[in-house]
Amino acid sequence: HKDELLALVRSVQPDDMVCAYVRQNRMLGLGHAVLCAEPLVGNEPFAVLLADDLMVGNTPIMQQMVQQFAHWRSSILAVQDVPREHTQRYGVVSGSVVNDGVVDVTGIVEKPAPDVAPSTLAVAGRYILTPGIFQELERIPRGVGGEIQLTDGIAQLLRHEKVFAYRYEGVRYDCGSKLGFLQATVDLGVQHPEVGHEFAQ
Ligand code: G1P
């Protein structure tokens, strides 16, 4: 009779949501992983959420991006400013500023060294992409690290379509690093309604 816990678990998945899974059998990178989902996605715009980037905002970050997509009807990349010495950890965009939060992207490179990075505007792990990305991912050669890079696919997509970078309002925790994982645990732990107070002590 752990009914409360059961209700909590069930509440995570709305009744009308269907979950389907695809396995990426080969370690060929993020772009290849996205390509594996093509049979499920079909010819529609879709969202990519990299689970090791934990994003927290008063308005959920993906909701902010969906609002941007509704306006621009083009691919939207979540971006944040990073210290120049960190560009090598990210996809980095260049482009022209449209307004406070939005950049019209003209270029994107994967993990550039600080001295050659086109800007310090780095892609966080949230994307809304048009289905045109699939054709690009099928064609591109392996990139950085010998992997099929989503970033390289987006660079090709730019030749045919508009892509916008959106400075989201919120905080990103890089839970793919030990430090980021610990920061997320502490920040969210002290805010937790049930255990926050004791955890802060
Ligand atoms: C991936 C992407 C990179 C992006 C990053 C965000 O890199 O390839 O463009 O900036 O996620 O977290 P990874 O962290 O998998 O090396």
Side-chain angles (χ1 to χ4, degrees), residues 10-173:
R10 285 189 170 149
S11 73
V12 171
Q13 186 182 339
D15 289 341
D16 59 353
M17 181 191 278
V18 177
C19 291
Y21 300 85
V22 182
R23 184 176 293 262
Q24 180 188 22
N25 281 321
R26 292 180 294 161
M27 293 189 290
L28 290 180
L30 176 58
H32 177 253
V34 170
L35 196 50
C36 290
E38 184 181 8
L40 288 179
V41 172
N43 193 31
E44 289 192 48
F46 62 102
V48 176
L49 296 85
L50 306 187
D52 58 353
D53 275 345
L54 182 65
M55 313 281 283
V56 182
N58 287 334
T59 303
I61 288 22
M62 186 48 73
Q63 189 179 329
Q64 296 175 32
M65 294 176 70
V66 167
Q67 283 162 5
Q68 292 297 323
F69 180 82
H71 181 72
W72 301 103
R73 310 303 300 179
S74 299
S75 296
I76 310 284
L77 317 175
V79 291
Q80 60 177 357
D81 267 307
V82 297
R84 187 159 273 277
E85 61 268 27
H86 291 175
T87 56
Q88 215 148 7
R89 302 179 187 176
Y90 301 97
V92 175
V93 303
S94 51
S96 50
V97 174
V98 178
N99 62 39
D100 262 4
V102 178
V103 171
D104 186 347
V105 177
T106 52
I108 181 167
V109 279
E110 182 67 6
K111 305 204 166 79
D115 53 331
V116 295
S119 77
T120 53
L121 214 48
V123 176
R126 296 292 184 277
Y127 311 76
I128 294 178
L129 297 169
T130 59
I133 191 72
F134 293 127
Q135 286 84 59
E136 307 303 338
L137 291 171
E138 273 160 19
R139 278 193 224 123
I140 55 171
R142 295 191 191 195
V144 173
E147 297 185 339
I148 296 174
Q149 295 289 349
L150 184 57
T151 296
D152 296 345
I154 295 168
Q156 292 303 313
L157 189 66
L158 271 176
R159 293 152 48 124
H160 317 290
E161 291 181 19
K162 285 258 175 218
V163 174
F164 293 93
Y166 167 66
R167 291 176 203 261
Y168 57 88
E169 283 170 33
V171 182
R172 165 182 173 271
Y173 297 97

Side-chain angles (χ1 to χ4, degrees), residues 1-12 192 194:
H1 288 291
K2 294 182 175 172
D3 296 331
E4 258 179 48
L5 285 176
L6 182 62
L8 179 67
V9 169
R10 285 189 170 149
S11 73
V12 171
H192 194 276
E194 193 184 320

